[in-house]
Amino acid sequence: MVVLAFETSCDETSVAVVRDGIVLSNVVSSQIKLHSEYGGVVPELAAREHLKNLLPVAKEALDRAQVSPMDVDLVACTQGPGLPTALIVGWRAAQAVAYVLSKPFLGINHHEAHLYSPWIEGTPPKARFDQFQPNVSLVVSGGHTMLVLVKAPLDHVRLGGTLDDAAGECFDKTGKMLGLPYPAGPWIDKLAKRGNPEAFRFPRPKLNDPDYDFSFSGLKTAVRYFLRDHPELAQDDAQLPDLCASVQAAIVDVLVTKTICAALSHRVQYVTASGGVTCNSALREQLQAACSRHGLRLKIAKPEFCTDNAGMIGILAEFKYLHGTLPTPLDAEVQPSMELA
Ligand code: KG4
Ligand code: ZN
């Protein structure tokens, strides 16, 4: 079965071709440069950029996969959550393609697709649902931070999520206060390598609460007050690595501790992780170290499938369709606030 998948939920325009569980192509056009000028994603600009890029990206995905539109058996698209106007661009295009080709159409929950992206492995990338193991999945990016118990493919329960800012948002906003460009996450990561994570003590919100929710807005405020009270530090380049390392340590500490607690209390043997923040080197190292300490196996999505991409949408769409999920009516709308089903 050949799936043509679209993803335009935020600032990545992506189209992928999936055939029999293999990602034949996964083209991603990132808008980071465009939005960096504004210090964050501007929804209206994102939608216009998707409009401009979607057809060339789709053409490239089909060309790279050496697949003709006539070969497509299923059209899939992210239905939500995401920025409403950004979602609509991919959604309308995908609906039009499904209509013209008279092929079934499947709307996919973006978060659900992240849950299975760590199982896309090898060269060429193939979804290894046959190797699936029950796991606790950490989805952590600029838009989301959540922990999900994934009992079996298509059988999952959300354990908790952020009550305010996502972890990536916290990296980006605190980085902005430190004078770093958007998105600040990769900069903090880089600078933190030269810094002392214990130089300054920032709060670890909800670290010891018995639930699996997160809250990062307090940490952001703590950094703001800290810089207000120590303005000389923000101007001092020599202190920047220590500040970055200390902020990063607070975020990573909470993410790792909560993830391990969830995995242990739900008695799974696997932890999986995806989303842009899993590129963070301290998070990767500390999650790996904590998993090893507790006898847990860790699977982090490959970089190509970690950040937003249509490959994971196509993989999940094919699996769902083959396992009985009914097509989405062609007059269905996007669901910007879609919850994890
Ligand atoms: O998944 P993603 O590409 O897009 C969505 O937000 O959906 O994630 C982007 C987020 C940004 O907040 C960015 O700062 C963060 O991931 N990020 C990082 C790193 N690389 C990307 N955060 C910390 N360390 C990194 N190395
Ligand atoms: Zn995402």
Side-chain angles (χ1 to χ4, degrees):
M1 146 167 273
V2 174
V3 186
L4 182 63
F6 295 77
E7 152 67 40
T8 62
S9 64
C10 189
D11 60 344
E12 261 102 25
T13 314
S14 181
V15 179
V17 177
V18 167
R19 185 171 62 207
D20 303 331
I22 295 174
V23 183
L24 297 182
S25 65
N26 183 32
V27 180
V28 181
S29 168
S30 172
Q31 307 175 3
I32 279 188
K33 274 204 188 111
L34 172 75
H35 299 289
S36 63
E37 204 182 311
Y38 303 93
V41 177
V42 184
E44 175 66 21
L45 291 183
R48 288 184 197 194
E49 199 67 7
H50 286 314
L51 265 178
K52 202 159 64 182
N53 293 333
L54 195 59
L55 286 183
V57 167
K59 187 174 180 315
E60 192 177 335
L62 288 163
D63 288 351
R64 277 199 209 169
Q66 297 186 301
V67 158
S68 135
M70 295 307 167
D71 301 329
V72 171
D73 300 302
L74 174 70
V75 181
C77 185
T78 303
Q79 187 165 16
L83 302 171
T85 50
L87 284 166
I88 286 168
V89 178
W91 188 251
R92 284 283 178 264
Q95 283 176 323
V97 172
Y99 177 75
V100 169
L101 297 177
S102 297
K103 296 296 175 189
F105 173 65
L106 208 53
I108 293 292
N109 181 307
H110 179 91
H111 288 161
E112 191 179 357
H114 269 301
L115 298 182
Y116 302 100
S117 58
W119 301 93
I120 307 174
E121 292 180 321
T123 316
K126 186 173 185 343
R128 302 312 305 258
F129 285 106
D130 55 330
Q131 293 186 0
F132 178 90
Q133 295 291 332
N135 62 83
V136 159
S137 195
L138 172 70
V139 181
V140 68
S141 74
H144 18 270
T145 300
M146 64 171 70
L147 279 169
V148 183
L149 173 64
V150 193
K151 294 181 255 184
L154 310 187
D155 181 5
H156 48 257
V157 44
R158 186 181 185 277
L159 300 174
T162 185
L163 304 175
D164 39 58
D165 292 350
E169 209 175 341
C170 187
F171 270 110
D172 295 341
K173 289 180 175 168
T174 51
K176 192 175 177 180
M177 294 178 217
L178 296 172
L180 301 173
Y182 173 86
W187 290 92
I188 292 185
D189 189 357
K190 198 169 160 207
L191 286 159
K193 290 199 169 88
R194 292 192 275 120
N196 173 9
E198 286 166 18
F200 308 104
R201 182 78 191 168
F202 290 115
R204 270 86 170 137
K206 294 185 69 57
L207 183 68
N208 298 312
D209 289 6
D211 56 44
Y212 301 115
D213 286 330
F214 301 89
S215 168
F216 290 107
S217 67
L219 171 57
K220 191 180 64 187
T221 311
V223 174
R224 173 169 296 129
Y225 288 150
F226 180 84
L227 293 173
R228 183 197 61 191
D229 297 341
H230 304 87
E232 71 288 355
L233 289 182
Q235 310 303 327
D236 184 351
D237 282 354
Q239 303 278 357
L240 194 55
D242 283 350
L243 277 167
C244 289
S246 302
V247 169
Q248 178 176 275
I251 300 173
V252 168
D253 209 3
V254 179
L255 292 174
V256 172
T257 305
K258 292 250 173 203
T259 305
I260 299 295
C261 278
L264 295 178
S265 73
H266 288 89
R267 299 176 188 282
V268 293
Q269 283 166 1
Y270 276 72
V271 166
T272 66
S274 66
V277 177
T278 53
C279 298
N280 183 268
S281 50
L283 177 62
R284 295 175 86 94
E285 278 162 27
Q286 286 173 41
L287 199 52
Q288 183 58 69
C291 282
S292 303
R293 259 195 321 276
H294 293 282
L296 297 161
R297 299 278 300 271
L298 174 65
K299 279 173 92 67
I300 300 182
K302 303 279 167 292
E304 185 189 358
F305 301 108
C306 218
T307 52
D308 291 349
N309 68 91
M312 67 179 186
I313 303 296
I315 286 291
L316 179 60
E318 182 182 53
F319 191 80
K320 288 188 94 154
Y321 189 73
L322 293 174
H323 287 78
T325 300
L326 295 176
T328 306
L330 272 186
D331 59 356
E333 288 300 342
V334 295
Q335 293 183 27
S337 311
M338 199 177 200
E339 296 288 344
L340 199 58

